[in-house]
């Protein structure tokens, strides 16, 4: 399953966002370091389901379909404690940083309202500097990557002698999901492919880490707390500084309030949508009524939506360029062997083939793979076919290996 890690300074709203997206009850509070362990949960990314276009009633199993939108699961990690000098191990820094190693992509949450100081303590709204906050965290993560290279120096030198620098570095960095293409690209763009690893100093190592990081951990910045008035100016500054496509505006607290109220039956709300409707028989307390009024005025009216679902979708579909693929066992019925229509959706990285999809479904399906068929047209798909978004694929196997 794709893994997204939520990073950022203390008190920016990481845990609130994590709770909203997963609806788990991790501890939320104002104290720095309240979260001692990385929380793990399941969140969802969504896009229009193929059931609509096919005019079918589906029976999702590994995902859900709400109003014709398919929600596919991703693993979400809440990474606390990224304080200054975390890379040196300060405040359990290394343990938290190592969690990032597992991630396929990062959500970098920043307090857009400027309500925290440089150390992540709650401060007067507008007094903080969100652009600097982002850079501070980026530096920590970059230094941590550089440190891994430094710690593996002897190994890299040995490997380089018998293979190549690219292979040696890829091996040393495989634990943080660096692939040979990304290592090669970072070597080229820094010009370090021309320089013997023995001659890499601290500056060169950091330069390489800085180039490699966005390649192995694509990220989206979440400008959080946009419900606070002081966020507006800062959001402009953030989008000026980083490209527009990299900054998503959000209110994690508003999303959490809506999802909780929805769960207790007080209102109807589908994550990502622009409205919520209070249930007719809902008995709201004054505080609840005020909270919902605040969400309506400060978030929905102003920004259209809370932004959390869009941010997850943007990260997965636009930045990671992941495609949704629907494996089926019966291509005529678009179903599995039990008659479940469009049971599963798989999130496949850009460039994945039908064989990759088979592997993602089950190793046995990949081992017995013969060919794949486009269920919409009945045509055979070439072996090196790159899966496209919303493909429906039947995988033919040697024996009758069940797709599900
Ligand atoms: N106004 C506002 N406050 C928020 C929002 N998200 C989180 N907070 C508050 O910010 C504080 C820190 O949140 P928390 O999720 O614990 O931050 P973390 O340290 O990054 O995990 C808490 O008081 C939250 O209620 C938001 O969207 N708007
Ligand atoms: Mg937290």
């Amino acid at each position: 399953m794709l893994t997204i890690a939520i990073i950022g300074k203390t008190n920016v709203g990481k845990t609130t966002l994590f709770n909203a997206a997963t609806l788990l009850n991790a501890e939320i509070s104002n104290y720095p370091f309240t979260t001692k362990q990385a929380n793990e949960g399941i969140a969802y990314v969504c896009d229009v389901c193929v059931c609509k276009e096919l005019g079918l009633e589906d029976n999702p199993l590994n995902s859900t379909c709400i109003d014709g939108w398919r929600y596919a699961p991703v693993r979400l990690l809440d990474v606390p404690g990224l304080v200054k000098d975390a890379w040196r191990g300060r405040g359990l820094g290394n343990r938290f940083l190592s969690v990032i190693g597992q991630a396929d992509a990062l959500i970098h949450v920043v307090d857009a309202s400027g309500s925290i100081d440089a150390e992540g303590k709650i401060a007067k709204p507008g007094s903080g500097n969100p652009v600097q906050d982002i850079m501070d965290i980026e530096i920590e993560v970059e230094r941590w990557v550089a440190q891994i290279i430094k710690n593996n120096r002897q190994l890299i030198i040995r490997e380089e002698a018998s293979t190549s620098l690219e292979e040696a570095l890829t091996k040393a960095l495989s634990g943080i999901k660096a692939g040979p293409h990304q290592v090669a690209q970072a070597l080229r763009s820094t010009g370090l492919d021309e320089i013997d690893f023995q001659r890499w100093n601290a500056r060169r190592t950091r330069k390489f880490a800085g180039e490699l990081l966005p390649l192995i951990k694509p990220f989206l910045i979440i400008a959080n707390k946009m419900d606070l008035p002081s966020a507006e100016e800062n959001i402009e500054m953030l989008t000026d500084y980083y490209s527009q496509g990299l900054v998503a505006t959000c209110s994690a607290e508003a999303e959490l309030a809506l999802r909780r109220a929805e769960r207790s039956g007080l209102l109807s709300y589908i994550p990502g949508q622009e409205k919520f409707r209070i249930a007719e028989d809902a008995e709201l307390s004054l505080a609840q009524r005020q909270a919902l009024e605040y969400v309506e005025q400060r978030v929905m009216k102003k920004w259209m939506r809370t932004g959390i679902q869009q941010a997850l979708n943007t990260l997965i579909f636009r930045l990671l360029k992941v495609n949704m693929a629907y494996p089926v066992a019966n291509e005529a019925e678009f179903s599995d062997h039990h008659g479940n229509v469009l049971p599963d959706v798989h999130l496949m990285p850009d460039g994945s083939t039908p064989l990759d999809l088979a592997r993602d479904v089950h190793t046995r399906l990949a081992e017995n793979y013969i060919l794949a068929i486009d269920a919409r047209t009945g045509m055979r798909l070439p072996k090196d076919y790159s899966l496209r978004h919303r493909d429906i694929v039947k995988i033919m196997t040697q024996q009758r290996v069940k797709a599900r």
Side-chain angles (χ1 to χ4, degrees):
M1 195 180 287
L2 282 172
T3 300
I4 302 171
I6 307 172
I7 62 168
K9 283 197 174 169
T10 305
N11 279 324
V12 293
K14 297 182 297 298
T15 303
T16 308
L17 186 143
F18 173 86
N19 284 339
T22 62
L23 214 65
L24 276 177
N25 277 322
E27 198 176 1
I28 303 179
S29 92
N30 279 337
Y31 305 124
F33 305 115
T34 37
T35 324
K36 304 228 170 44
Q37 305 227 331
N39 291 308
E40 182 178 335
I42 300 291
Y44 291 84
V45 291
C46 68
D47 197 6
V48 176
C49 181
V50 293
C51 71
K52 266 196 169 167
E53 122 200 18
L54 298 171
L56 293 171
E57 190 69 46
D58 55 2
N59 317 94
L61 296 174
N62 84 337
S63 43
T64 35
C65 187
I66 307 174
D67 279 359
W69 288 79
R70 185 63 76 111
Y71 288 73
V74 292
R75 197 156 75 104
L76 202 59
L77 304 171
D78 176 11
V79 185
L82 290 189
V83 292
K84 189 164 165 40
D85 288 336
W87 70 279
R88 290 185 204 270
R90 185 176 161 233
L92 301 177
N94 275 324
R95 214 176 78 200
F96 293 132
L97 280 161
S98 68
V99 174
I100 298 173
Q102 309 166 30
D104 298 296
L106 307 176
I107 278 182
H108 191 155
V109 185
V110 65
D111 181 338
S113 71
S115 314
I116 59 160
D117 66 16
E119 287 286 317
K121 292 198 197 67
I122 298 283
K124 194 167 126 278
S127 64
N129 182 344
V131 171
Q132 186 62 46
D133 288 343
I134 294 178
M135 288 181 189
D136 289 348
I137 293 292
E138 277 177 351
I139 288 171
E140 292 307 314
V141 182
E142 241 172 67
R143 291 203 160 179
W144 164 70
V145 174
Q147 190 66 27
I148 295 174
I149 297 171
K150 197 171 158 222
N151 291 346
N152 284 285
R153 198 175 161 80
Q154 291 313 318
L155 175 106
I156 296 169
I157 290 170
R158 260 202 320 277
E159 280 286 321
E160 187 190 13
S162 57
T163 58
S164 64
L165 178 55
E166 181 191 314
E167 275 185 56
L169 282 167
T170 305
K171 192 165 178 188
L173 297 169
S174 62
I176 59 170
K177 295 195 172 182
H181 296 305
Q182 297 142 338
V183 169
Q185 195 179 326
L187 280 173
R188 262 198 318 275
S189 59
T190 49
L192 287 166
D193 50 347
E194 308 283 338
I195 294 172
D196 204 17
F197 184 70
Q198 300 258 23
R199 291 178 47 223
W200 283 31
N201 52 17
R203 194 180 53 81
R204 285 177 174 151
T205 306
R206 272 189 64 186
K207 194 168 162 202
F208 175 77
E211 283 293 318
L212 182 71
L213 198 57
L215 301 175
I216 60 172
K217 310 288 171 196
F219 67 97
L220 182 72
I221 293 165
I222 287 198
N224 190 36
K225 308 194 189 180
M226 68 187 192
D227 51 286
L228 297 175
S230 54
E232 278 164 57
E233 244 172 68
N234 284 334
I235 284 166
E236 258 175 52
M237 186 167 73
L238 282 164
T239 47
D240 274 354
Y241 210 87
Y242 294 89
S243 87
Q244 191 93 31
L246 283 183
V247 182
T249 48
C250 296
S251 175
E253 199 148 81
E255 179 75 2
L256 186 59
L258 290 179
R259 290 211 193 181
R260 283 198 173 140
E262 197 271 340
R263 183 168 255 207
S264 20
L266 296 174
L267 50 83
S268 56
Y269 170 67
I270 300 175
Q273 289 204 341
E274 292 164 18
K275 326 188 223 315
F276 60 88
R277 218 185 54 245
I278 296 177
E280 267 162 30
D281 55 353
E283 287 178 16
L284 297 172
S285 66
L286 182 63
Q288 282 171 328
R289 207 169 277 286
Q290 281 170 344
L292 291 179
E293 183 58 26
Y294 179 82
V295 171
E296 177 66 29
Q297 295 302 330
R298 292 296 316 164
V299 182
M300 303 311 240
K301 276 229 171 95
K302 235 175 145 47
W303 306 94
M304 310 242 295
R305 46 179 89 91
T306 70
I308 305 296
Q309 189 62 58
Q310 271 65 31
L312 288 169
N313 293 347
T314 303
L315 180 63
I316 295 293
F317 297 124
R318 295 253 285 281
L319 294 176
L320 279 186
K321 296 191 173 62
V322 160
N323 294 311
M324 278 182 157
Y326 297 76
V328 292
N330 178 335
E331 72 275 30
E333 305 288 332
F334 298 101
S335 69
D336 64 9
H337 288 301
H338 308 289
N340 295 304
V341 174
L342 300 167
D344 296 340
V345 68
H346 287 249
L347 296 174
M348 303 303 297
D350 194 30
S352 300
T353 63
L355 181 58
D356 294 323
L357 176 63
R359 208 174 283 124
D360 209 48
V361 174
H362 202 291
T363 40
R364 264 188 310 143
L365 198 65
E367 282 158 12
N368 297 292
Y369 178 95
I370 296 178
L371 61 91
I373 290 171
D374 178 343
R376 279 198 189 83
T377 60
M379 306 272 271
R380 184 177 170 162
L381 294 167
K383 205 162 182 212
D384 57 356
Y385 174 77
S386 281
L387 290 169
R388 286 185 311 190
H389 192 44
R390 307 171 78 233
D391 270 346
I392 311 169
V393 181
K394 145 105 177 174
I395 289 156
M396 305 265 282
T397 52
Q398 251 159 26
Q399 303 135 20
R400 224 179 132 229
V401 180
K402 288 188 177 169
R404 178 160 196 100

